[in-house]
Amino acid sequence: MKLTTWISAAAFAASVALPAAAFAADGKTLFTTYKCNDCHAVKSQGIPLGVAKPEEEAPDLSHVGKERDKKWIAMFLLKKQETEKGGKHKKRFGGEKEELKVLAEWLESLK
């Protein structure tokens, strides 16, 4: 086997073996990529509200981690059993499972 072929095969095998999280963006990037800032600001991270909405409809999430943990956040974003002020999240998170995990962990870190 040629060296270049072996290296290419080894590189491919290594990339397949890596977990999806190795390629995932950070939580802040996911927040903006999935347009969460259309409805929520994170002023502490320099993320402004993208669409003008009343604050009660679009709370600033700068300190969400003081009140909620990553499990609750993930379940809320999936529109499962978790509710806030008697209602479920307006949009179901449409990303991958690993992206949801990264996003929820980032949001939990906001204290």
Side-chain angles (χ1 to χ4, degrees):
M1 180 188 297
K2 290 183 180 178
L3 180 59
T4 55
T5 304
W6 183 83
I7 291 172
S8 296
F12 174 76
S15 69
V16 172
L18 290 174
F23 300 106
D26 62 72
K28 183 176 180 179
T29 300
L30 291 169
F31 189 86
T32 56
T33 298
Y34 284 101
K35 301 184 187 306
C36 302
N37 61 313
D38 279 357
C39 296
H40 299 282
V42 186
K43 293 176 185 172
S44 67
Q45 301 295 308
I47 302 173
L49 182 61
V51 178
K53 289 189 174 222
E55 189 158 322
E56 58 274 359
E57 284 185 41
D60 181 349
L61 300 179
S62 291
H63 306 289
V64 70
K66 285 183 179 179
E67 298 178 16
R68 305 294 184 193
D69 66 15
K70 62 188 174 189
K71 182 179 177 187
W72 187 95
I73 292 167
M75 296 300 283
F76 186 65
L77 292 176
L78 289 175
K79 297 184 77 158
K80 298 289 184 175
Q81 70 257 11
E82 304 300 348
T83 61
E84 176 69 28
K85 296 180 183 175
K88 294 188 181 219
H89 195 258
K90 293 188 188 247
K91 286 182 75 177
R92 186 176 193 283
F93 180 75
E96 299 293 324
K97 185 177 179 180
E98 282 298 318
E99 291 174 319
L100 176 62
K101 180 181 175 190
V102 170
L103 179 60
E105 287 173 353
W106 178 72
L107 288 167
E108 180 187 48
S109 77
L110 301 176
K111 302 189 182 200

